[in-house]
Amino acid sequence: MSSAADSPLIEAHDLTKRFGDFTAVDSVDFSVRAGETFGFLGPNGAGKTSTMRMISAVSPVSGGTLRVLGRDPATHGPEIKARMGVVPQQDTLDFELTVYENILVYGNYFGLAKDVIAARANELLEFVQLSERRDSKVEPLSGGMKRRLTIARALVNEPELLLLDEPTTGLDPQARHVLWDRLYRLKQQGVTQVLTTHYMDEAEQLCDRLVVMDQAKIVAEGSPRQLIDRYVQREVVELRFAGTPSVDGQLEGLGERVEVLADRILIGTDDGDGTAHAVHERGVPVESVLVRRSTLEDVFLTLTGRTLVD
Amino acid sequence: MAAVAHVPSTTPLERTFAVTSWHARSYRRTWRATITTAFLNPIFFLLSVGVLLGQLIDDDRAQLGGLSYVEFVAPGLLAATAMQMGANDAMWPVMAGIKWLRTYHAVLATPVRVGELVIGTMGWSGVRVLSAAAIFTAVAAIGGAIPSALAVLAPFAALLTGLALNAPITAFSASLEGGDDGWYPALNRFALIPMFLFAGTFFPVSQLPDWLEPAAWATPLWHGVELCRMLTTGDLDVLALVHVGYLLAFVVVGTILAVRLHRRALLK
Ligand SMILES: Nc1ncnc2c1ncn2[C@@H]1O[C@H](COP(=O)(O)OP(=O)(O)OP(=O)(O)O)[C@@H](O)[C@H]1O
Ligand SMILES: [Mg+2]
């Protein structure tokens, strides 16, 4: 596998997905290297799931080329799937079966021996902290537990590549942190991960590298740090107002970049405190002023003029 | 975990069987719910209609080719039960797998191919039909409703009947893009129940008005009933091949369509 380690696990050129006349993924290019955690960050409808489904060899590409684990998903789907784990956006667990049986049945599809599956299922349940629920039904599990079970199930074939479509959407903060911790451990074990999210904090936490997707296109690519350095200033001054933000010209010359949103104004600047001071000095009628570090959210806003989560 | 891929390779047959055993495992938890429709109802029918009602009409044996009524109706019920089971397995469970619970999507994230998923699922319906048919035939034989030893083949005729309904209805379910289950009651009301009542289960189709008789011949159930009846009564003739061929055509065409339509529904 040493030669394979140098070449990307996933490589896409001009990758396109159309549904009828509608283009869901429009000529995107990206590549994922072995061992990294790679993210697709984008709002609803950006084309993240459509891209993931093409990678997981269940959705035919409409244009461009795609290689996954060195193979073409159109012709080598089952070979690719044998070495991959998939956590889909919507859970697909079998509610008739117990937690343990869900993994057992899944292992069968990969042709694993019964005793191998049994041993791995117990290990994996331990790993995702579901051992106590081993023999309970799936339906009463919490959202976070179901998600963890889906991840455990996706790992039964010891995949080299794990695809996670919005792994924590809909979970409470604590459940999200538990999940992030497990994904981090998998990364340490060398599992390459590709995930989608519309949470910038998730992308910052987990991804070595990510692409920002919007309206079927990739609009930027890099590590979270690189993206912030490249597209936005170091800090943001957030101004909130009693009513609709209205400043007519009072912010002229402040900071490097001003974004007026429905409920607040953001000023990108390399000197947050200085800018905040200037805002007060000029007597801008603000209700509150907050200085914070720039995030991927600001990157997204700069690139698209819109916020990530609406 | 990621160092080397050592996933065993599997054959299509193994993967198909893995799908069948998935359904078998799920069924372990729900069998109580279906045990009445699969096993008890047909036996109750045999008792009430075949034995008790039959006693009232047994004077006119010539109409039934010399059979007692219970001997006549037992293979009819056998085929009709197979039809009902095969059809039911192809309705809500298939829709659930594609649309509601999306369990089929989970299967297709693994090396299992669409054809293996569809055939493995039909295979499970086949197992259910065959076992219910075997039990029914045994009970009917013990109860004296089965005059011929050829009846050991009757459960296989019932299996063929069940699959002849299961395959095309599986295709139909996969074609319902929006997950519109409103079609199922209609299918029951306008196809399955009329077949059950008029396609030779309870009386010879020669009793139907002349203009309606050919319609009965076109139904898969009539061919299933006739085939089962030939085997349980021992009155086998060359027409059996026509029945087998007709039912097989439903299975083959239905399966091909089912695989195609599943592909369209699942691999978008
Ligand atoms: N099967 C389909 N048929 C038609 N249009 C589709 C289909 N699947 C997705 N789309 C459309 O493609 C676009 C991209 O959808 P996709 O699910 O890839 O977005 P996403 O980035 O995953 O969004 P979300 O964050 O909501 O999951 C959307 O406008 C969606 O309506
Ligand atoms: Mg999505």
Side-chain angles (χ1 to χ4, degrees):
Chain A
M1 296 296 285
S2 61
S3 66
D6 311 329
S7 64
L9 286 197
I10 306 176
E11 203 163 16
H13 291 297
D14 279 333
L15 183 62
T16 299
K17 180 73 199 183
R18 280 184 222 100
F19 297 104
D21 294 339
F22 181 78
T23 306
V25 179
D26 192 359
S27 300
V28 300
D29 284 54
F30 59 89
S31 68
V32 178
R33 297 189 280 263
E36 74 177 339
T37 297
F38 184 89
F40 289 90
L41 177 68
N44 290 129
K48 305 182 297 291
T49 298
S50 303
T51 306
M52 291 292 254
R53 285 177 47 81
M54 288 191 279
I55 299 171
S56 45
V58 293
S59 171
V61 311
S62 314
T65 57
L66 177 64
R67 291 288 171 280
V68 182
L69 299 165
R71 299 193 165 102
D72 181 353
T75 51
H76 291 78
E79 289 93 322
I80 292 169
K81 290 170 184 175
R83 295 163 57 191
M84 192 161 65
V86 178
V87 176
Q89 183 168 353
Q90 291 168 271
D91 282 322
T92 55
L93 297 166
D94 189 335
F95 288 0
E96 310 286 355
L97 301 178
T98 65
V99 167
Y100 175 78
E101 285 176 323
N102 261 280
I103 301 179
L104 200 68
V105 160
Y106 216 65
N108 265 334
Y109 300 141
F110 293 92
L112 300 168
K114 279 247 144 43
D115 52 335
V116 172
I117 302 174
R120 277 189 202 167
N122 287 325
E123 256 168 53
L124 287 168
L125 289 178
E126 192 70 37
F127 176 69
V128 297
Q129 298 165 312
L130 282 175
S131 293
E132 299 91 88
R133 306 303 291 265
R134 183 182 184 278
D135 296 313
S136 72
K137 283 250 201 173
V138 169
E139 200 158 12
L141 298 186
S142 72
M145 288 173 169
K146 285 189 182 120
R147 227 47 196 139
R148 266 143 54 203
L149 175 56
T150 303
I151 291 173
R153 187 179 71 167
L155 293 171
V156 72
N157 57 327
E158 303 195 323
E160 293 154 71
L161 177 61
L162 182 62
L163 305 183
L164 303 130
D165 197 354
E166 301 198 11
T168 67
T169 298
L171 304 187
D172 60 54
Q174 207 219 324
R176 295 177 75 200
H177 281 95
V178 173
L179 230 141
W180 286 352
D181 172 63
R182 297 297 111 173
L183 296 180
Y184 185 69
R185 288 195 195 196
L186 283 175
K187 179 182 163 59
Q188 288 178 316
Q189 292 169 27
V191 179
T192 309
Q193 295 173 47
V194 177
L195 61 90
T196 76
T197 182
H198 46 220
Y199 299 124
M200 56 89 191
D201 55 341
E202 184 158 278
E204 282 181 4
Q205 278 279 328
L206 297 174
C207 297
D208 300 312
R209 223 151 52 79
L210 59 99
V211 290
V212 179
M213 245 188 135
D214 184 44
Q215 294 180 342
K217 289 193 189 291
I218 288 177
V219 290
E221 188 245 297
S223 69
R225 195 68 258 152
Q226 282 171 340
L227 288 172
I228 291 168
D229 290 347
R230 197 177 314 146
Y231 293 102
V232 292
Q233 290 68 41
R234 216 166 51 83
E235 292 180 307
V236 171
V237 179
E238 272 196 55
L239 311 181
R240 288 186 186 266
F241 296 79
T244 325
S246 79
V247 287
D248 33 70
Q250 277 180 304
L251 300 177
E252 205 94 343
L254 281 186
E256 264 63 49
R257 178 182 59 91
V258 177
E259 301 276 358
V260 182
L261 304 183
D263 60 336
R264 64 212 142 109
I265 290 179
L266 306 180
I267 307 172
T269 172
D270 287 318
D271 173 16
D273 290 333
T275 306
H277 190 69
V279 167
H280 286 302
E281 218 123 82
R282 294 188 186 186
V284 182
V286 287
E287 195 177 62
S288 69
V289 176
L290 169 81
V291 179
R292 59 166 175 81
R293 290 176 66 99
S294 289
T295 66
L296 287 174
E297 182 82 46
D298 302 302
V299 172
F300 188 81
L301 189 62
T302 307
L303 289 170
T304 69
R306 289 178 294 113
T307 48
L308 257 171
V309 185
D310 37 36
Chain B
M1 244 182 198
V4 191
H6 42 76
V7 182
S9 63
T10 47
T11 64
L13 196 65
E14 284 168 336
R15 292 190 296 260
T16 306
F17 186 69
V19 172
T20 308
S21 39
W22 160 44
H23 292 296
R25 190 173 274 278
S26 298
Y27 182 68
R28 278 201 218 163
R29 273 160 220 289
T30 50
W31 66 273
R32 278 180 201 85
T34 59
I35 199 84
T36 45
T37 37
F39 299 99
L40 295 180
N41 285 357
I43 289 169
F44 290 161
F45 253 106
L46 188 64
L47 266 177
S48 70
V49 178
V51 179
L52 302 172
L53 181 64
Q55 285 167 357
L56 300 176
I57 49 184
D58 261 350
D59 305 335
D60 198 6
R61 285 196 170 204
Q63 292 278 8
L64 303 175
L67 301 172
S68 71
Y69 187 67
V70 72
E71 288 168 346
F72 176 85
V73 86
L77 288 169
L78 176 62
T81 304
M83 167 185 84
Q84 201 62 58
M85 284 178 76
N88 284 343
D89 287 348
M91 293 195 244
W92 283 279
V94 171
M95 192 64 91
I98 295 175
K99 266 255 132 62
W100 300 329
L101 303 177
R102 300 172 60 82
T103 45
Y104 286 6
H105 294 266
V107 178
L108 294 182
T110 74
V112 176
R113 293 168 164 89
V114 175
E116 296 155 2
L117 168 66
V118 171
I119 293 171
T121 302
M122 285 175 49
W124 170 243
S125 184
V127 169
R128 267 165 40 79
V129 170
L130 187 64
S131 24
I135 291 173
F136 179 88
T137 308
V139 170
I142 292 165
I146 307 254
S148 166
L150 273 180
V152 294
L153 296 176
F156 296 98
L159 169 64
L160 193 55
T161 311
L163 292 179
L165 274 299
N166 182 269
I169 297 176
T170 297
F172 176 68
S173 291
S175 78
L176 297 177
E177 281 278 338
D180 182 4
D181 57 336
W183 284 97
Y184 292 145
L187 187 65
N188 256 312
R189 234 170 275 150
F190 299 113
L192 300 178
I193 292 172
M195 274 200 268
F196 177 63
L197 294 175
F198 299 108
T201 310
F202 297 105
F203 55 85
V205 294
S206 55
Q207 299 285 98
L208 292 171
D210 285 347
W211 58 271
L212 203 55
E213 210 180 328
W217 297 336
T219 66
L221 181 60
W222 179 73
H223 293 272
V225 169
E226 287 297 302
L227 191 61
C228 287
R229 195 164 280 145
M230 284 182 181
L231 293 168
T232 59
T233 60
D235 191 10
L236 195 62
D237 66 43
V238 72
L239 267 182
L241 293 177
V242 175
H243 299 316
V244 171
Y246 196 83
L247 294 170
L248 265 183
F250 269 71
V251 178
V252 171
V253 174
T255 305
I256 292 169
L257 280 177
V259 173
R260 283 206 190 145
L261 290 165
H262 271 72
R263 205 170 277 143
R264 197 187 71 181
L266 295 165
L267 305 182
K268 281 186 184 152

